[in-house]
Amino acid sequence: MSEWKLNNYISVDCVVFGFDFEQLKVLLVDRVLKDEKTGNELFSDLTLTGNHIYEHESLEDAAARILFDLTGLENIYLKQFAAFCDPDRLKRPNDQAWLRASGRDPNSRIISVGYYSLLATKNVTLKWKGRNVKWYPVSEIKDLAFDHYNILQSALVALRRELLYEPIGFELLPEKFTLSQLQKVYEVILGVNLDKRNFRKKVARMKYLIPLDEKQKGVAHKPARLYMFSREVYEKTRKEVLDFNI
Amino acid sequence: MSEWKLNNYISVDCVVFGFDFEQLKVLLVDRVLKDEKTGNELFSDLTLTGNHIYEHESLEDAAARILFDLTGLENIYLKQFAAFCDPDRLKRPNDQAWLRASGRDPNSRIISVGYYSLLATKNVTLKWKGRNVKWYPVSEIKDLAFDHYNILQSALVALRRELLYEPIGFELLPEKFTLSQLQKVYEVILGVNLDKRNFRKKVARMKYLIPLDEKQKGVAHKPARLYMFSREVYEKTRKEVLDFNI
DNA sequence: AATCATAAGTGTCGTTTAAACACTTTTTAT
DNA sequence: ATAAAAAGTGTTTAAACGACACTTATGATT
């Protein structure tokens, strides 16, 4: 057993969550491996969006870069949630073939740090035209390449927990949103049904949720009032709000 | 800017928290650098306990190994809380000298994954006799080597948060403990004073806190009833308990 | 043996939050 | 004009929170 391991590679995997007012989605890349000579497709599966880090780049910067390359957006909500390091995490046959085909030592060890980010899908125009990147409903995903299914599940757990205790639901919505849309965020991510009146009573206590003098337009029902999230109010009041749920 | 970075080193840093019924403490190593020729001490400062990972070892296993080497204990509570990757995290003069003296390229990049662990100091006999490892009160620590002060603060934030939402206070106490000792855990870590009667009402609702037919001995006051934590009851009831504090 | 010092242990009340529950209103589409 | 769709709104009961003070059991001291 060597004292420590050289040639560990560090990569960042981004679990890019998106919300379209109906479902929680995640950005996945279609990984296609073709036979070098014949050009026949050997296999095709899906991966999270990820990349190795540059030499003078922090993990956070690498994650932001990946997101920028995908969406052209900056200052997206990004949260590191875990590091993945199982020595056998890239040892499945497809993954080994993929590593060989892309010129990497299939025995090298790649440690990956996971970030999740939150977006409203309608804010996003996917930029990474060179590859096949699309939104997929999280609930329909059965398996992914590498250990990415595991990473995704781990991101989901972290997201649920974060959502329960921090105001991050807004990050999955456009700047202006309705209370029903916000409620749906909680319902979809936590997998529960919430009572509309109780939900509204609860959010009414959140000072950082600012009602606007503006309503939905073009909907075939009573138009809802729009709200926005005020980060300033949140930062100001977060210390007061800290209560100890022992 | 290279496509990705070779020769990243991965290490694990363990923030080993201990509790002695009075204070929160942390295990630190006295890092002494001596001049190669004269043997004079060039500097001495404190680091967290950490190590590089072995070739076929997961991060979790590496953290458990470090803990075992320190204390001889297994199955200690261990929680990964963050990865530290700032490209300049080892660039202070002492750190550079230390890396050179220990035969490492001072320009190599070391990415460190942080774990914190929880122990009752009275359960522990420190084993790592070769080096100077001791408990230090967390509240008295002003600076540490490398970016370890930053890592420690980050561990503290993670610990406080975890303590608010999960029953981990027990991990800092002996198997059998009194309610006042448990209350003290919360008070010290969260930095608050709690009302004894309200605290007891609250913990009375925790089914996994088992009162024993046993009392403290040898104390110069009314002896307290002893309790223990039941992991089985906790696992059974945790799903019921999940409520959504939206 | 009596007293002291120390921490354990215990209950009430007013306030806040949680959870269950149904109807009216406003808009667009037909 | 009417229908369809989602917005918006209040009450009641139960549980939890937060503030607050005295009695009890033990070992130490005299």
Side-chain angles (χ1 to χ4, degrees), chain A residues 1-4 7 9-10 52 54-55 57 59 80 83 85 109 161-162 164 194 202 245-246, chain B residues 1-4 7 9-10 52 54-55 57 59 80 82-83 85 109 161-162 164 194 202 245-246:
Chain A
M1 213 186 268
S2 62
E3 239 307 304
W4 68 75
N7 294 327
Y9 296 81
I10 312 272
H52 289 275
Y54 290 155
E55 188 156 348
E57 190 178 50
L59 294 168
Q80 190 193 104
C85 58
R109 188 163 170 188
R161 185 177 170 144
E162 190 79 5
L164 284 175
L194 299 172
K202 189 124 186 175
N245 291 311
I246 295 163
Chain B
M1 216 187 266
S2 61
E3 241 305 304
W4 69 72
N7 294 327
Y9 296 82
I10 314 271
H52 289 274
Y54 290 156
E55 190 155 347
E57 190 178 51
L59 293 168
Q80 189 193 105
C85 58
R109 190 164 169 188
R161 184 175 170 146
E162 190 78 4
L164 284 176
L194 298 172
K202 188 122 189 177
N245 292 309
I246 296 164

Side-chain angles (χ1 to χ4, degrees), chain B residues 182-225:
Chain B
L182 184 61
Q183 181 175 338
K184 189 79 180 174
V185 166
Y186 284 89
E187 291 183 325
V188 166
I189 295 178
L190 301 175
V192 292
N193 288 318
L194 298 172
D195 179 87
K196 186 166 35 161
R197 281 173 290 188
N198 292 338
F199 180 80
R200 281 160 192 248
K201 260 183 288 177
K202 188 122 189 177
V203 298
R205 271 176 250 131
M206 303 173 175
K207 301 284 170 52
Y208 47 78
L209 188 59
I210 313 292
L212 303 174
D213 286 329
E214 210 174 326
K215 297 193 171 183
Q216 277 185 313
K217 274 174 197 153
V219 287
H221 56 75
K222 181 172 176 178
R225 179 185 284 274

Side-chain angles (χ1 to χ4, degrees), chain B residues 84-224:
Chain B
F84 298 87
C85 58
D86 189 297
D88 297 324
R89 60 183 287 265
L90 310 178
K91 291 289 191 281
R92 290 195 295 182
N94 281 6
D95 303 329
Q96 289 280 296
W98 178 263
L99 291 174
R100 266 189 295 269
S102 44
R104 276 166 280 187
D105 174 8
N107 293 314
S108 71
R109 190 164 169 188
I110 302 180
I111 283 169
S112 189
V113 178
Y115 284 78
Y116 68 79
S117 61
L118 304 177
L119 287 168
T121 55
K122 68 172 286 196
N123 287 348
V124 180
T125 336
L126 298 175
K127 300 258 158 132
W128 202 2
K129 302 291 187 195
R131 286 165 79 182
N132 208 2
V133 184
K134 281 195 308 213
W135 292 109
Y136 293 82
V138 168
S139 58
E140 291 171 16
I141 296 166
K142 298 284 176 280
D143 192 23
L144 296 172
F146 304 119
D147 61 343
H148 286 188
Y149 185 75
N150 177 34
I151 295 179
L152 171 62
Q153 295 305 314
S154 170
L156 268 173
V157 169
L159 171 61
R160 285 195 191 109
R161 184 175 170 146
E162 190 78 4
L163 185 64
L164 284 176
Y165 306 123
E166 303 288 338
I168 55 165
F170 317 101
E171 306 286 348
L172 288 161
L173 293 170
E175 193 190 5
K176 300 173 180 181
F177 51 86
T178 72
L179 293 187
S180 295
Q181 290 166 349
L182 184 61
Q183 181 175 338
K184 189 79 180 174
V185 166
Y186 284 89
E187 291 183 325
V188 166
I189 295 178
L190 301 175
V192 292
N193 288 318
L194 298 172
D195 179 87
K196 186 166 35 161
R197 281 173 290 188
N198 292 338
F199 180 80
R200 281 160 192 248
K201 260 183 288 177
K202 188 122 189 177
V203 298
R205 271 176 250 131
M206 303 173 175
K207 301 284 170 52
Y208 47 78
L209 188 59
I210 313 292
L212 303 174
D213 286 329
E214 210 174 326
K215 297 193 171 183
Q216 277 185 313
K217 274 174 197 153
V219 287
H221 56 75
K222 181 172 176 178

Side-chain angles (χ1 to χ4, degrees), chain A residues 163-174:
Chain A
L163 185 64
L164 284 175
Y165 305 123
E166 302 289 337
I168 56 166
F170 317 101
E171 306 286 349
L172 288 161
L173 294 170

Side-chain angles (χ1 to χ4, degrees), chain A residues 129-222:
Chain A
K129 303 290 185 192
R131 287 165 81 182
N132 208 3
V133 184
K134 282 197 305 219
W135 292 109
Y136 293 81
V138 168
S139 58
E140 291 171 16
I141 296 166
K142 297 286 176 278
D143 193 23
L144 296 173
F146 305 119
D147 60 344
H148 286 188
Y149 184 75
N150 177 34
I151 295 180
L152 171 62
Q153 295 306 314
S154 171
L156 267 174
V157 170
L159 171 61
R160 286 197 189 106
R161 185 177 170 144
E162 190 79 5
L163 185 64
L164 284 175
Y165 305 123
E166 302 289 337
I168 56 166
F170 317 101
E171 306 286 349
L172 288 161
L173 294 170
E175 193 190 6
K176 298 171 181 181
F177 52 85
T178 72
L179 293 186
S180 294
Q181 290 166 349
L182 184 60
Q183 181 176 338
K184 189 80 180 170
V185 167
Y186 284 89
E187 291 183 327
V188 167
I189 295 179
L190 301 176
V192 292
N193 288 317
L194 299 172
D195 179 87
K196 186 163 40 160
R197 281 173 289 190
N198 291 339
F199 181 82
R200 282 162 191 247
K201 262 182 283 175
K202 189 124 186 175
V203 298
R205 272 177 249 133
M206 303 173 174
K207 301 285 170 51
Y208 46 79
L209 187 59
I210 313 292
L212 303 174
D213 287 330
E214 208 174 330
K215 297 192 170 179
Q216 275 185 314
K217 274 172 196 152
V219 287
H221 55 76
K222 178 171 175 177

